[in-house]
Amino acid sequence: RYRPSDLELWLLWLASEYVLATRDKQFLDESIPIYPGRESNPHELSVHELLEHAYARVTMDIGVGKHGLMRLSNGDWNDSIVVNRLTPAQVSEVHQQGESVLNAAMASYVLSYYATMLEFTGHPKLANEVRAKAEGQRQAVRKQWSGRWFRRAWLGEELGWSGEQQLWLEPQPWAIIGGGATPEQVKTLVAVLDELVRQPS
């Protein structure tokens, strides 16, 4: 039922965090059994290769939509943007056309971090490619500024944008830490989050 589009981002973030925190470059050369296996075999891919597969899934299989944002599939971090909220026909439209501002904002941070890890471990060519993908997501997020906050998602031609009239919290901090928000937008956004979210809490 759930086919979220953000899972590989978490894996890339976790592995990059581990390698950069511990300086354990050898971890990337290890072969770890892929679930549900319990024992590794000599034909299994290394952690580095598995991470490249995760990156390819994000950039090629999931890819981007007409606004340059990462596609939504039928859910992202908050799967209820689609599931239990829309009709089956609408879910089908979102699966084909939907884009996630949340995923794009998260990707701008995670892919930059992955690129830093790749550079540290001696893969400068791939690091440059990944960094360019991160910048593409950053620019796509920047275009989704609605005046006081960032939109939540493009749900397709019929449903249009979610998050123009109502603030969705999830993409806002990622837009800040991922660099999608300009300094002026950060100032406005923090004030709006304080007004609409923190003060009434």
Side-chain angles (χ1 to χ4, degrees):
R1 182 179 185 191
Y2 291 101
R3 297 184 62 82
S5 50
D6 65 326
L7 297 181
E8 288 77 13
L9 290 175
W10 295 95
L11 177 63
L12 290 168
W13 185 15
L14 175 65
S16 300
E17 180 75 28
Y18 171 77
V19 172
L20 290 171
T22 64
R23 302 307 197 204
D24 181 7
K25 295 180 184 181
Q26 288 72 32
F27 169 68
L28 297 176
D29 299 323
E30 291 182 26
S31 292
I32 296 176
I34 300 173
Y35 180 83
R38 289 193 162 78
E39 296 179 13
S40 55
N41 68 64
H43 305 294
E44 285 181 327
L45 299 175
S46 67
V47 171
H48 173 70
E49 291 167 320
L50 290 171
L51 292 175
E52 282 194 38
H53 279 273
Y55 167 69
R57 168 113 172 97
V58 166
T59 57
M60 298 188 329
D61 296 344
I62 296 169
V64 300
K66 66 184 269 185
H67 302 95
L69 299 159
M70 245 183 95
R71 294 189 57 236
L72 177 57
S73 186
N74 73 350
D76 50 21
W77 189 0
N78 180 352
D79 298 322
S80 67
I81 187 78
V82 177
V83 176
N84 298 327
R85 191 167 166 256
L86 305 176
T87 68
Q90 290 172 327
V91 170
S92 177
E93 179 186 352
V94 171
H95 186 71
Q96 293 171 25
Q97 301 176 25
E99 298 171 67
S100 171
V101 178
L102 167 59
N103 276 359
M106 183 179 179
S108 64
Y109 175 82
V110 170
L111 294 181
S112 293
Y113 209 52
Y114 178 48
T116 299
M117 187 272 283
L118 287 168
E119 203 162 55
F120 168 69
T121 57
H123 301 89
K125 184 177 177 184
L126 182 56
N128 289 336
E129 177 192 318
V130 173
R131 198 166 275 120
K133 294 286 186 185
E135 183 60 26
Q137 290 304 283
R138 193 170 290 117
Q139 294 304 319
V141 168
R142 193 163 290 161
K143 293 175 184 171
Q144 302 317 314
W145 180 248
S146 66
R148 300 184 76 201
W149 56 72
F150 289 90
R151 296 179 182 98
R152 175 61 177 83
W154 169 253
L155 300 178
E157 296 298 336
E158 180 190 333
L159 295 168
W161 287 102
S162 177
E164 288 194 304
Q165 305 303 319
Q166 180 183 24
L167 179 143
W168 286 66
L169 183 59
E170 299 101 327
Q172 313 310 324
W174 283 112
I176 293 172
I177 66 172
T182 66
E184 296 79 19
Q185 289 168 342
V186 170
K187 187 176 179 182
T188 299
L189 182 54
V190 169
V192 167
L193 292 174
D194 183 51
E195 173 195 342
L196 299 181
V197 182
R198 190 194 67 82
Q199 290 184 27
S201 175

